[in-house]
């Protein structure tokens, strides 16, 4: 079972993935403002939320992970490099999660931030902000590193079979999914022949700071549980 959900404010994709037989489910990159919708869908589909998972510390929206963890008594999961509080399970590179017969494998893919992980589930890969559709996640804040991102892309994600479906954490143009083969051929940022050439592109994007950054990053370092720890 698979649902792709969209938050139009931050252009974030959230994924709900469940094993058909056991009904065990995971939610990837949930957005705090959408928490009621997730609860509704989880009830309607009759699935059991075992895990929330953030691909990295987001700068553009607050995660619903901490709240969902309280509501559904599920594991609040991140990659091991995340510094967020209230996380109950931290996955190392290559570590797996089980949902009935489904297996999710963690891949450490730093570059956009130093705590970015991608997650592979059969023929799908959830790439967070490492690989976007016809783009890649910016590398100019939160310990971003364009050379590390080149390595994550070219030596990890793009080595997956070309038919692997790519599901990113964002899209700003209306695309919903892609494949590794499609990105190898048509992603303009990937048409480079060296890490230095890639870094040259990434270091000259001149992007504005994310509007939500000063709110979102501190909140996400608390897994979105801002009310509990808020100081006047
Ligand atoms: Fe991000």
């Amino acid at each position: 079972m698979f649902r792709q959900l969209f938050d139009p404010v931050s252009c974030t994709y959230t994924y709900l993935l469940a094993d058909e037989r056991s009904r065990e489910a995971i939610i990837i990159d949930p957005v705090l403002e959408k928490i009621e919708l997730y609860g509704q869908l989880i009830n309607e589909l009759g699935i059991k939320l075992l895990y929330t998972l953030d691909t990295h510390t987001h700068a553009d929206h607050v995660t619903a992970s901490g709240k969902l963890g309280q509501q559904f008594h599920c594991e609040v999961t991140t990659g091991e490099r995340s510094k967020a509080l209230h996380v109950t399970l931290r996955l190392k590179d290559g570590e797996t999660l089980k949902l009935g017969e489904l297996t999710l494998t963690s891949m450490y893919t730093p570059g956009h931030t130093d705590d970015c992980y991608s997650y592979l589930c059969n023929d799908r890969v959830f790439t967070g902000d490492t690989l976007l559709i016809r783009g890649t996640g910016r590398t100019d804040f939160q310990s971003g590193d364009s050379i590390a991102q080149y390595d994550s892309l070219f030596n990890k994600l793009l080595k997956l079979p070309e038919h692997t479906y790519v599901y990113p954490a964002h899209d700003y143009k209306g695309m919903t999914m892609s494949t590794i083969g499609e990105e190898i051929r048509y992603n303009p940022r990937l048409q480079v022949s060296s890490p230095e050439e890639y870094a040259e592109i990434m270091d000259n994007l001149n992007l504005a700071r994310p509007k939500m950054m000063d709110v979102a990053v501190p909140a996400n370092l608390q897994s979105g549980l801002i009310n509990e720890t808020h100081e006047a």
Side-chain angles (χ1 to χ4, degrees):
M1 295 173 76
F2 179 65
R3 293 288 185 281
Q4 182 178 35
L5 302 157
F6 185 61
D7 169 43
V9 177
S10 60
C11 294
T12 299
Y13 285 128
T14 299
Y15 301 96
L16 194 58
L17 188 66
D19 174 61
E20 195 87 51
R21 276 250 304 273
S22 68
R23 320 299 285 179
E24 293 173 348
I26 188 168
I27 192 161
I28 303 176
D29 289 332
V31 175
L32 187 57
E33 285 78 12
K34 296 278 169 189
I35 195 160
E36 277 182 37
L37 179 69
Y38 308 144
Q40 180 197 328
L41 198 51
I42 287 163
N43 284 334
E44 287 171 352
L45 297 175
I47 54 179
K48 200 167 75 191
L49 192 66
L50 292 197
Y51 307 98
T52 70
L53 175 64
D54 281 298
T55 52
H56 62 288
T57 305
H58 300 281
D60 57 352
H61 68 271
V62 176
T63 178
S65 281
K67 283 256 162 70
L68 287 168
Q70 290 180 338
Q71 200 175 324
F72 290 92
H73 306 289
C74 61
E75 299 278 10
V76 176
T77 316
T78 63
E80 71 163 341
R81 300 289 292 264
S82 165
K83 295 183 184 75
L85 302 176
H86 310 295
V87 170
T88 59
L89 180 63
R90 293 176 199 274
L91 296 175
K92 292 188 174 70
D93 181 42
E95 222 176 319
T96 58
L97 276 186
K98 284 269 183 202
L99 298 166
E101 318 233 301
L102 288 178
T103 303
L104 251 88
T105 306
S106 145
M107 299 168 74
Y108 183 44
T109 51
H112 169 62
T113 65
D114 60 1
D115 69 349
C116 277
Y117 290 73
S118 300
Y119 294 89
L120 182 66
C121 183
N122 297 328
D123 59 353
R124 289 161 211 250
V125 64
F126 300 95
T127 54
D129 289 358
T130 304
L131 177 58
L132 303 176
I133 301 170
R134 311 299 189 263
T136 56
R138 63 194 294 176
T139 54
D140 56 337
F141 56 71
Q142 281 193 288
S143 313
D145 180 335
S146 47
I147 298 287
Q149 194 175 48
Y150 178 94
D151 183 59
S152 297
L153 290 163
F154 283 85
N155 298 321
K156 291 180 184 170
L157 291 173
L158 302 185
K159 293 267 160 76
L160 293 171
E162 288 208 6
H163 65 262
T164 309
Y165 295 110
V166 171
Y167 288 100
H170 296 287
D171 192 79
Y172 305 97
K173 293 181 186 155
M175 301 275 249
T176 53
M177 58 172 288
S178 183
T179 65
I180 291 292
E182 216 178 289
E183 293 311 307
I184 288 173
R185 276 181 283 285
Y186 302 119
N187 189 320
R189 300 232 179 122
L190 304 180
Q191 312 309 310
V192 293
S193 50
S194 69
E196 292 71 27
E197 199 185 327
Y198 182 72
E200 177 73 23
I201 295 176
M202 296 309 287
D203 297 346
N204 290 290
L205 294 176
N206 299 317
L207 299 166
R209 262 171 77 83
K211 273 183 245 133
M212 277 284 287
M213 187 161 173
D214 297 333
V215 175
V217 172
N220 288 331
L221 289 172
Q222 312 268 1
S223 296
L225 293 172
I226 28 186
N227 298 336
E228 273 82 340
T229 48
H230 188 75
E231 288 172 34

